[in-house]
Amino acid sequence: MRHGFRLSQFKENVQENLPLHGENGVATETRANDFVVFDHVQKSYDGVSLVVKDLNLTIAKGEFLTMLGPSGSGKTTCLMMLAGFETATNGEIRLDGRNINLVPPHKRGIGMVFQNYALFPHMTVGENLSFPLEVRGMGKDEREAKVKRALDMVQMYSFINRRPAQLSGGQQQRIALARALVFDPSLVLMDEPLGALDKQLREHMQFEIKHLHESLGITVVYVTHDQGEALTMSDRVAVFNDGKIQQLAPPADLYERPENSFVAQFIGENNKLPGVIEELSEGKALVRLATGELIDATPVNVTAKGQKTLVSIRPERVEFKPEMMPPGAHMIGAEVIEVIYMGDILRARLKVAGSDDFVMKMRNTLGQTKLSPGETIRIGWHPQDARALEPM
Ligand SMILES: Nc1ncnc2c1ncn2[C@@H]1O[C@H](COP(=O)(O)OP(=O)(O)OP(=O)(O)O)[C@@H](O)[C@H]1O
Ligand SMILES: [Mg+2]
């Protein structure tokens, strides 16, 4: 267990119970609502390569911030540095205005739920929850009240005398959540907490976590590589790749306005047409596609005429009936390769401007035209929905 710890060691550390220290070097630009600040944070495990490159991230009090990204992109490392189980190689991490670089984990007052942060198997549910309070020196009556309240929050009070082995995976995860909340932390970190659960339970727990976040007013930093989970639960999502934040934005912005090709590809389904910038002006790009057609697009991170680009278009923003097309729509020829029936939608794979993996999604309505493979059609989209991004 990579992030595991020994019980005796934990108890001993907590019992020191020293006040929070390490106020040296608090940067002055911290604003009142900035709760968690990563300030030029870098991390290297081997002293050679940086797995976190230059992280600057500010999380507001009460925010639900999700770190989303592919495996190995540095999400857990960031969370471990915030929790205090890893030290930053460079830079500063602040919590509520204080530099916590030198503060040990148990003095940061942070609740944690990890996929592999197991419950103590030899203790009952009640003892598991009581333990973090006991080591903080809390009296029995207060402990019992807090344990009851935390178990009620996750609707598990009736399981107080069971041992972890007598609980299902989902129930254990609820207890782990209750244990993270039992000492009233203002910040809770969760690393893939629902990874081991089946889809239905996972969705239920997403709802419960979101509800607890709202009702308790806590700040949550959540890690997942499930984009659906990130988009439904978060106030903002930080998309990680290669040790860097690629984009930090509310869910709808990430989907509607990806700022680079990685984000456009990683979030949702995306069509990409390679081309060259032919003309560029404020808010408008004219792109010559591989087969010579010229299309209008919205320039995002392209800066000069002659530059290569990938034009990104969401499949549901593509229309093939002229009367359905928004005013100013751009039209282009396409060949139908296959149509897949998916119940509520029909998914057509098309050949467009030389690319044969172009996808168009159509709602499966009563009057929807049937398309057959080999057929030539005209499709269109609004230039606003065609975003000129950098080549990958
Ligand atoms: N303790 C460690 N020692 C050495 N290298 C490590 C250690 N922990 C992580 N790494 C490396 O750092 C990089 C980032 O790992 P990290 O665990 O932060 O990724 P992640 O985004 O959480 O991935 P996943 O989605 O698979 O959990 C990876 O290349 C990983 O191999
Ligand atoms: Mg991880």
Side-chain angles (χ1 to χ4, degrees):
M1 194 166 66
R2 196 172 88 199
H3 308 307
F5 56 84
R6 297 251 296 278
L7 187 58
S8 55
Q9 194 186 331
F10 180 65
K11 199 159 184 168
E12 190 183 307
N13 286 342
V14 177
Q15 275 169 343
E16 287 168 25
N17 214 20
L18 295 170
L20 199 67
H21 60 82
E23 298 215 347
N24 51 320
V26 174
T28 46
E29 73 253 33
T30 303
R31 289 166 299 162
N33 201 30
D34 295 352
F35 193 48
V36 175
V37 179
F38 287 89
D39 189 355
H40 295 288
V41 170
Q42 297 186 321
K43 175 66 181 178
S44 175
Y45 286 105
D46 58 7
V48 182
S49 61
L50 291 173
V51 297
V52 174
K53 290 188 173 142
D54 182 29
L55 182 69
N56 293 291
L57 172 63
T58 299
I59 302 167
K61 205 165 188 125
E63 189 170 12
F64 197 115
L65 186 288
T66 296
M67 297 176 172
L68 172 72
S71 188
S73 57
K75 308 178 298 292
T76 296
T77 301
C78 290
L79 217 61
M80 286 296 130
M81 289 192 287
L82 180 53
F85 295 120
E86 290 291 350
T87 51
T89 309
N90 277 306
E92 185 178 291
I93 300 176
R94 293 190 290 273
L95 180 59
D96 214 2
R98 294 194 257 192
N99 178 346
I100 54 167
N101 282 26
L102 299 173
V103 179
H106 57 279
K107 291 187 197 110
R108 297 187 180 198
I110 300 176
M112 280 166 258
V113 191
F114 299 134
Q115 198 180 336
N116 54 2
Y117 196 72
L119 298 169
F120 302 122
H122 58 288
M123 291 183 181
T124 65
V125 163
E127 286 161 355
N128 261 284
L129 264 74
S130 189
F131 178 72
L133 302 176
E134 206 178 322
V135 293
R136 282 176 170 78
M138 194 180 281
K140 188 165 179 284
D141 290 351
E142 198 183 351
R143 259 176 10 230
E144 281 176 1
K146 290 222 184 252
V147 168
K148 177 171 189 322
R149 200 179 63 122
L151 285 174
D152 281 341
M153 277 182 207
V154 295
Q155 286 127 48
M156 289 291 288
Y157 186 65
S158 57
F159 294 78
I160 189 164
N161 293 319
R162 296 241 193 131
R163 286 178 196 278
Q166 298 167 312
L167 300 172
S168 74
Q171 290 167 339
Q172 287 185 33
Q173 215 47 24
R174 302 239 289 264
I175 301 303
L177 184 60
R179 188 176 61 177
L181 296 170
V182 74
F183 58 91
D184 300 316
S186 48
L187 176 62
V188 178
L189 312 184
M190 303 191 195
D191 193 350
E192 306 266 2
L194 311 180
L197 308 182
D198 65 43
K199 188 170 177 287
Q200 210 174 348
L201 190 56
R202 200 180 162 100
E203 281 168 7
H204 178 74
M205 286 297 291
Q206 287 171 3
F207 174 79
E208 275 192 18
I209 291 173
K210 193 66 198 147
H211 177 73
L212 284 172
H213 163 251
E214 276 157 18
S215 61
L216 301 176
I218 48 176
T219 307
V220 177
V221 185
Y222 196 92
V223 166
T224 182
H225 52 237
D226 178 333
Q227 52 163 296
E229 190 162 293
L231 296 181
T232 53
M233 296 180 82
S234 322
D235 294 316
R236 285 190 306 164
V237 179
V239 181
F240 275 71
N241 190 38
D242 199 19
K244 278 192 282 202
I245 293 183
Q246 303 291 320
Q247 188 168 353
L248 171 66
D253 272 14
L254 278 186
Y255 186 81
E256 311 268 340
R257 287 175 286 281
E259 278 165 11
N260 61 38
S261 292
F262 177 81
V263 177
Q265 275 310 103
F266 191 72
I267 310 279
E269 207 177 359
N270 184 48
N271 290 307
K272 44 185 201 301
L273 296 174
V276 175
I277 304 288
E278 192 85 9
E279 276 172 40
L280 193 63
S281 59
E282 190 68 29
K284 241 185 116 180
L286 187 67
V287 177
R288 187 175 295 280
L289 299 180
T291 42
E293 288 104 328
L294 286 167
I295 63 163
D296 289 320
T298 303
V300 180
N301 61 351
V302 286
T303 50
K305 227 172 112 163
Q307 211 179 343
K308 282 189 179 167
T309 181
L310 272 183
V311 179
S312 141
I313 308 156
R314 296 287 183 201
E316 70 278 11
R317 295 296 167 93
V318 180
E319 280 290 350
F320 80 105
K321 289 185 199 163
E323 71 275 14
M324 298 289 283
M325 267 180 232
H330 183 89
M331 306 264 273
I332 190 169
E335 183 193 327
V336 180
I337 294 175
E338 60 176 348
V339 180
I340 299 165
Y341 176 83
M342 299 184 75
D344 56 342
I345 62 158
L346 301 168
R347 199 167 173 277
R349 190 158 68 84
L350 310 171
K351 185 168 183 176
V352 177
S355 306
D356 62 4
D357 55 359
F358 193 98
V359 173
M360 169 171 73
K361 281 185 188 163
M362 302 172 285
R363 287 201 304 133
N364 187 10
T365 51
L366 211 55
Q368 187 62 273
T369 316
K370 298 248 181 306
L371 295 178
S372 321
E375 197 177 331
T376 306
I377 58 172
R378 284 186 81 67
I379 58 166
W381 55 77
H382 196 280
Q384 196 180 296
D385 293 324
R387 298 170 61 79
L389 301 168
E390 89 290 0
M392 285 189 100

